[in-house]
C-alpha cells in the first residue's frame, strides 16, 4: 500500500498517485503492484489478481504459491542479465527510481504484455521505428535523429500557418487540434481558439453540438468540402463539414472561418464568462464553429503524418458518446492519404488515465463498470500516456498501464515532460529499449524554446529515451 500511495494510507490524501482515489480503485492499484512484485506470469495465470485473492483465502495454497513465485523470481534474476544493465548513476541529482521499480517496469514489458504487431484495426501503421514527436512551429527541420533508421522524427504544431510558410524539406508534420467541450459540464471553461484573439472564446450548450463542432473542424482541416457524397465514408459518418453541423441543427451561418472570427468576435461574442485566476472576463460566442486558420491538407503529402487530438473535454461525456465521436474522427482522418501513400494517422492525447479527469472525458479504466479504455485503444492509431511530472514517471506509467485489460505497448506513446529529470529518462529508456511504446512525444513544459532549440539537459534526456548519442 505504501508503494502505491506514496506513503499514505488515507484514501483521500493529496499525496496519493491518484488524488481522491476511491477504495475500490486503491485495492485495484495495490493488487496490480503486488502482481508485478511477485512476477506472476500471465501466460500461465491469466487472472493474476484473482489468483492472489484465492491464495489469501487458502493459507496452505498461499505458502506453496509464494514459494513458487519466489523461485520464479530467482530464475528471472539469474537468467536475465538485462535486469542489471544500465543501472542509474549513484551520483545522479535525482536518485529515484528504486531497483524494485526498475524490475517492475522490466516485467511489464515482457511478452505477456505485448500483442501481435498487426493485431489492431489500424493495421496500416507498421512498427518500423520509434516516433519522436517534438512540439513547435515546424519552421525548422527537427531531424537531428534522422540518421538513425530506428527513429522517425516528427513535428507537432497548432500553428499551421507558420508550418505552411516554411520550407518543410523532409519534415513530417502533425496538426495538434483541440476537441471542443460542452460548457455545462464538470469543466465549463470556454473553448479556446488558436491563434487566440484577445479574450474571445466559444461555448457550446450541449454535448452533441460540441461533438459536431469538433468533427466539423477535423473535416475541414483534412480537406473535405462543406458537402460530400453520403458514400464518401463508412455508413453513418458525414464527411462534409457543413453536413456535420447541419446534422446537429446548426445553420451554415454558425460556421465561421478564422478570419471571420477575427473580424466579428468583438461585436458578436458578448456573453461574459469570469476568469477567476485573472479577475477578468472571457467574452464568448455561443454555438459558433470556428474553422482552422490553415488546413493540414494543404501540406505536401510527403510532409503529412497525421492529426493529434487534444481530448480533454472534462465535461462528463458518456462512454458511448466518446466512442462514437472518436470513431467518426478516425474515419475522417483515415479517409485522407498522408506520407508513403498510407492513411493519415490519429493520435489520442488526453488526461492521465490514473487521474480524476479521465472519466470526465468518457474514458474509463478496467475497474469501472463503464470500462472502455481498451475499446478506445482499438479505435485510434496511437494512445498517448501523459506521464506525471510531479512524481516518479515510471510509477505513473505502471499505474496507467493497469487501466487496460489488454495493454498493448505497440499502440501507446509516452508524453515526456521536459520538467522530468535525466534520471527519469534513464529509467524509462528501459521500456523503450525493449520494443515497447510506438513513440515519444516531447512536451516543452519547463523550457523556453521549442524542439529544435533544446537545452543541453533536455536534449540529453530525449537522446537517452530514444537511445542515440547527441
Amino acid at each position: 500500500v505504501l508503494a502505491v500511495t506514496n506513503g499514505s494510507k488515507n484514501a483521500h490524501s493529496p499525496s496519493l498517485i491518484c488524488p481522491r482515489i476511491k477504495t475500490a480503485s486503491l485495492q485495484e492499484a495495490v493488487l496490480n503492484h503486488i502482481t508485478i512484485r511477485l512476477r506472476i506470469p500471465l501466460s500461465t495465470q491469466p487472472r493474476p489478481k484473482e489468483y492472489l485473492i484465492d491464495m489469501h483465502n487458502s493459507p496452505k495454497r498461499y505458502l506453496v504459491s509464494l514459494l513458487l513465485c519466489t523461485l520464479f523470481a530467482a530464475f528471472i534474476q539469474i537468467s536475465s542479465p538485462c535486469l542489471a544493465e544500465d543501472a542509474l548513476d549513484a551520483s545522479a541529482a535525482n536518485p529515484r527510481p528504486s531497483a524494485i521499480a526498475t524490475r517492475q517496469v522490466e516485467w511489464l514489458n515482457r511478452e505477456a504484455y505485448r500483442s501481435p504487431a498487426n493485431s489492431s484495426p489500424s493495421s496500416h501503421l507498421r512498427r518500423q521505428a520509434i516516433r519522436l514527436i517534438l512540439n513547435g512551429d515546424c519552421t525548422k527541420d527537427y531531424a537531428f535523429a534522422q540518421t538513425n533508421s530506428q527513429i522517425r522524427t516528427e513535428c507537432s504544431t497548432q500553428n499551421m500557418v507558420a508550418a505552411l510558410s516554411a520550407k518543410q524539406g523532409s519534415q513530417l508534420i502533425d496538426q495538434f487540434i483541440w476537441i471542443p467541450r460542452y460548457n455545462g459540464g464538470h469543466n465549463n471553461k470556454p473553448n479556446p481558439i488558436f491563434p487566440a484573439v484577445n479574450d474571445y472564446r466559444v461555448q457550446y450548450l450541449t454535448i452533441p453540438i460540441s461533438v459536431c463542432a469538433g468533427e466539423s473542424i477535423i473535416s475541414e482541416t483534412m480537406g473535405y468540402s462543406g458537402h460530400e457524397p453520403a458514400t464518401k465514408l463508412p455508413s453513418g459518418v458525414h464527411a462534409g463539414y457543413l453536413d456535420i453541423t447541419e446534422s446537429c441543427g446548426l445553420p451554415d451561418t454558425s460556421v465561421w472561418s478564422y478570419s471571420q472570427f477575427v473580424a466579428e468576435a468583438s461585436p458578436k461574442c458578448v456573453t461574459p464568462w469570469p476568469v477567476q485566476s485573472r479577475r477578468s472576463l472571457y467574452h464568448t460566442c455561443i454555438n459558433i464553429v470556428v474553422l482552422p486558420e490553415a488546413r493540414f491538407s494543404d501540406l505536401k503529402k510527403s510532409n503529412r503524418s497525421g492529426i493529434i487530438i487534444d481530448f480533454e473535454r472534462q465535461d462528463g461525456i458518456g462512454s458511448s458518446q466518446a466512442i462514437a465521436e472518436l470513431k467518426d474522427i478516425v474515419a475522417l482522418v483515415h479517409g485522407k492519404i498522408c506520407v508513403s501513400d498510407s492513411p493519415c494517422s490519429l493520435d489520442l492525447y488526453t488526461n492521465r488515465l490514473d487521474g480524476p479527469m479521465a472519466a470526465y472525458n468518457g474514458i474509463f479504466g478496467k475497474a469501472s463498470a463503464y470500462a472502455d479504455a481498451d475499446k478506445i485503444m482499438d479505435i485510434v492509431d496511437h494512445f498517448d500516456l501523459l506521464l506525471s511530472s510531479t512524481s516518479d514517471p515510471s510509477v505513473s506509467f505502471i499505474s496507467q498501464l493497469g487501466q487496460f485489460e489488454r495493454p498493448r505497448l505497440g499502440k501507446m506513446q509516452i508524453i515526456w515532460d521536459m520538467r522530468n529529470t535525466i534520471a527519469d529518462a534513464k529509467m524509462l529508456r528501459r521500456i523503450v529499449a525493449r520494443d515497447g511504446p510506438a513513440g515519444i512525444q516531447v512536451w516543452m513544459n519547463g523550457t523556453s524554446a521549442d524542439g529544435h532549440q533544446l537545452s543541453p539537459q533536455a536534449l540529453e534526456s530525449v537522446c537517452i529515451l530514444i537511445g542515440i548519442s547527441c
Side-chain angles (χ1 to χ4, degrees):
V1 174
L2 293 178
V4 173
T5 63
N6 288 346
S8 172
K9 294 182 182 180
N10 183 346
H12 296 281
S13 168
S15 68
L16 291 175
I17 293 174
C18 174
R20 301 178 186 172
I21 195 166
K22 295 180 180 178
T23 303
S25 299
L26 182 57
Q27 292 172 351
E28 177 84 7
V30 172
L31 285 171
N32 273 329
H33 183 79
I34 295 171
T35 300
I36 295 163
R37 286 291 304 275
L38 293 181
R39 298 175 176 82
I40 297 175
L42 298 189
S43 58
T44 60
Q45 191 56 248
R47 300 179 65 80
K49 286 178 292 186
E50 289 77 358
Y51 185 58
L52 285 171
I53 294 171
D54 288 343
M55 290 194 296
H56 173 75
N57 294 332
S58 174
K60 183 181 295 185
R61 183 179 178 185
Y62 169 79
L63 291 174
V64 173
S65 300
L66 182 60
L67 175 61
L68 292 174
C69 288
T70 304
L71 291 173
F72 180 76
F75 171 76
I76 291 293
Q77 295 280 14
I78 294 170
S79 64
S80 301
C82 64
L83 294 177
E85 291 176 355
D86 303 324
L88 297 175
D89 296 333
S91 60
N94 185 350
R96 51 172 213 210
S98 67
I100 291 175
T102 300
R103 290 165 188 161
Q104 290 172 354
V105 175
E106 295 281 4
W107 174 249
L108 280 171
N109 201 48
R110 291 183 177 276
E111 290 299 327
Y113 280 84
R114 295 185 191 157
S115 62
N118 297 321
S119 62
S120 71
S122 306
S123 59
H124 62 273
L125 290 176
R126 302 294 183 227
R127 187 74 174 90
Q128 294 179 341
I130 294 175
R131 299 173 79 206
L132 173 62
I133 306 173
L134 302 171
N135 297 286
D137 59 16
C138 303
T139 57
K140 297 182 181 179
D141 199 334
Y142 289 64
F144 67 84
Q146 293 288 34
T147 56
N148 190 317
S149 62
Q150 298 304 308
I151 299 166
R152 168 171 159 157
T153 309
E154 302 178 20
C155 173
S156 166
T157 188
Q158 286 181 296
N159 193 348
M160 288 303 301
V161 171
L164 285 166
S165 65
K167 294 181 179 179
Q168 290 101 14
S170 60
Q171 180 66 63
L172 291 172
I173 296 175
D174 301 271
Q175 186 175 8
F176 191 86
I177 296 179
W178 170 263
I179 296 299
R181 65 168 63 103
Y182 155 59
N183 296 109
H186 176 76
N187 183 346
N188 61 359
K189 190 174 181 180
N191 293 280
I193 303 298
F194 188 87
V197 180
N198 297 321
D199 285 332
Y200 296 108
R201 293 198 170 198
V202 175
Q203 294 191 67
Y204 297 106
L205 301 185
T206 68
I207 285 179
I209 291 178
S210 69
V211 168
C212 285
E215 293 181 13
S216 179
I217 290 168
I218 296 291
S219 168
E220 201 270 345
T221 199
M222 293 305 299
Y224 296 97
S225 62
H227 300 283
E228 295 280 359
T231 57
K232 189 82 173 182
L233 292 176
S235 177
V237 179
H238 296 286
Y241 60 88
L242 293 178
D243 296 329
I244 293 170
T245 51
E246 288 170 3
S247 71
C248 293
L250 289 178
D252 293 355
T253 53
S254 294
V255 181
W256 294 6
S257 66
Y258 178 79
S259 59
Q260 182 181 359
F261 183 77
V262 172
E264 300 188 27
S266 177
K268 293 186 178 180
C269 297
V270 295
T271 304
W273 196 91
V275 185
Q276 303 295 343
S277 61
R278 294 161 43 194
R279 296 183 180 178
S280 61
L281 295 174
Y282 285 128
H283 297 89
T284 66
C285 285
I286 305 298
N287 289 346
I288 293 295
V289 179
V290 182
L291 300 175
E293 184 182 20
R295 301 188 308 174
F296 175 76
S297 60
D298 290 333
L299 290 168
K300 293 185 297 184
K301 184 173 66 174
S302 59
N303 296 122
R304 298 197 299 257
S305 178
I307 301 295
I308 301 173
I309 56 171
D310 187 352
F311 202 78
E312 297 179 276
R313 298 182 57 101
Q314 301 174 3
D315 57 4
I317 187 172
S319 171
S320 60
Q321 292 172 307
I323 288 175
E325 180 179 15
L326 290 170
K327 283 183 176 179
D328 288 353
I329 290 175
V330 168
L332 289 165
V333 173
H334 284 184
K336 296 294 183 176
I337 299 299
C338 282
V339 65
S340 302
D341 290 322
S342 296
C344 301
S345 66
L346 191 283
D347 295 5
L348 176 67
Y349 174 95
T350 189
N351 298 105
R352 286 173 48 188
L353 296 186
D354 58 346
M357 288 299 164
Y360 291 110
N361 296 329
I363 304 175
F364 298 88
K366 66 181 182 183
S368 169
Y370 306 101
D372 63 2
D374 288 275
K375 294 178 183 177
I376 289 174
M377 184 164 54
D378 286 341
I379 294 168
V380 301
D381 294 308
H382 297 113
F383 197 122
D384 295 346
L385 297 183
L386 177 63
L387 302 187
S388 171
S389 60
T390 57
S391 60
D392 191 330
S394 64
V395 174
S396 176
F397 178 84
I398 292 171
S399 178
Q400 293 187 71
L401 207 63
Q403 303 301 314
F404 295 92
E405 195 70 46
R406 297 173 291 107
R408 286 173 289 157
L409 299 181
K411 292 197 74 175
M412 296 179 183
Q413 294 183 148
I414 290 173
I415 304 296
W416 179 252
D417 195 318
M418 279 304 178
R419 289 178 294 198
N420 292 327
T421 67
I422 290 176
D424 293 330
K426 288 181 178 179
M427 179 62 206
L428 285 177
R429 172 59 193 158
R430 299 175 181 278
I431 303 170
V432 178
R434 284 163 178 76
D435 196 28
I440 301 166
Q441 184 177 167
V442 178
W443 206 246
M444 299 300 165
N445 289 335
T447 67
S448 59
D450 60 18
H452 55 75
Q453 296 174 318
L454 296 180
S455 67
Q457 176 173 323
L459 180 61
E460 182 180 354
S461 69
V462 171
C463 293
I464 289 170
L465 281 170
I466 60 180
I468 65 172
S469 299
C470 297

